[in-house]
Amino acid sequence: ATAVGNVDLDLNVTNFAAQAANINATGVTNVASLNTLKGSTTVNGLNATTNVCVDAPGPLNINSAVSAGDTVALRSVGNLNVNAPVSAGNKISAESTSANIQSGSNITQFSANDVALRAGDVGSAQPLTVQAQRLAAQATTGNVQLNLTSANTQTANLTLDKSGTLLQGVNANNGV
């Protein structure tokens, strides 16, 4: 989907890509690079001048870049697999309600001023790479494994955008 204004969609799709001022999508499985039907223009991932909000009823696979001028909010019921960069001018809020946030890619997965992450395991397959000024992360059943690329990253109290859960610093059920 390509739009000038807002994209607000309740979908049941496997692959999704969009460019708009604001993107609010539910029912998405894979963020991908796709060609439009008219004009064969390639739309790479999700790109919004203001906000990107994705709510997946199962696993969510970020296979193409997600970016927003202000906030990116991601929530999945299954694993949140981050295999492409997620960036925002202000805040990234990412949560898996019943599984893990993970990646098999050697990239900076999350880049924003504030990054809030919550899942059973955060960085379960390998450590997630985060570039942030302020960070809050919580592993509800496992470990938090992160590589921080900013020299002055501080732990903070940050609220997840989708669930409203307040994360206080970095903590884990098993270890950090």
Side-chain angles (χ1 to χ4, degrees):
T2 303
V4 175
N6 299 329
V7 174
D8 193 1
L9 302 168
D10 188 3
L11 306 166
N12 184 11
V13 297
T14 300
N15 295 310
F16 182 65
Q19 294 177 337
N22 288 291
I23 300 168
N24 186 13
T26 58
V28 174
T29 303
N30 295 308
V31 174
S33 292
L34 300 172
N35 291 327
T36 59
L37 294 176
K38 186 176 181 179
S40 295
T41 301
T42 300
V43 178
N44 294 310
L46 301 176
N47 184 342
T49 54
T50 309
N51 299 316
V52 170
C53 179
V54 177
D55 208 341
L60 175 59
N61 301 304
I62 307 297
N63 294 322
S64 190
V66 175
S67 66
D70 188 38
T71 301
V72 171
L74 306 171
R75 178 170 59 182
S76 67
V77 173
N79 284 335
L80 176 52
N81 299 304
V82 185
N83 300 311
V86 177
S87 62
N90 183 35
K91 181 181 180 185
I92 295 171
S93 167
E95 60 187 300
S96 170
T97 61
S98 66
N100 305 318
I101 299 175
Q102 58 191 15
S103 177
S105 301
N106 292 320
I107 57 168
T108 299
Q109 282 86 15
F110 300 106
S111 179
N113 289 331
D114 292 347
V115 174
L117 307 170
R118 181 175 191 260
D121 270 321
V122 176
S124 57
Q126 69 183 38
L128 297 173
T129 302
V130 176
Q131 180 179 357
Q133 298 303 309
R134 298 178 346 130
L135 171 71
Q138 180 182 38
T140 57
T141 59
N143 300 307
V144 172
Q145 298 183 79
L146 303 173
N147 288 329
L148 303 177
T149 61
S150 298
N152 298 317
T153 300
Q154 298 177 357
T155 59
N157 295 340
L158 300 173
T159 302
L160 293 167
D161 286 37
K162 297 298 292 174
S163 66
T165 302
L166 175 65
L167 303 181
Q168 298 178 328
V170 176
N171 56 76
N173 188 48
N174 286 342
V176 176

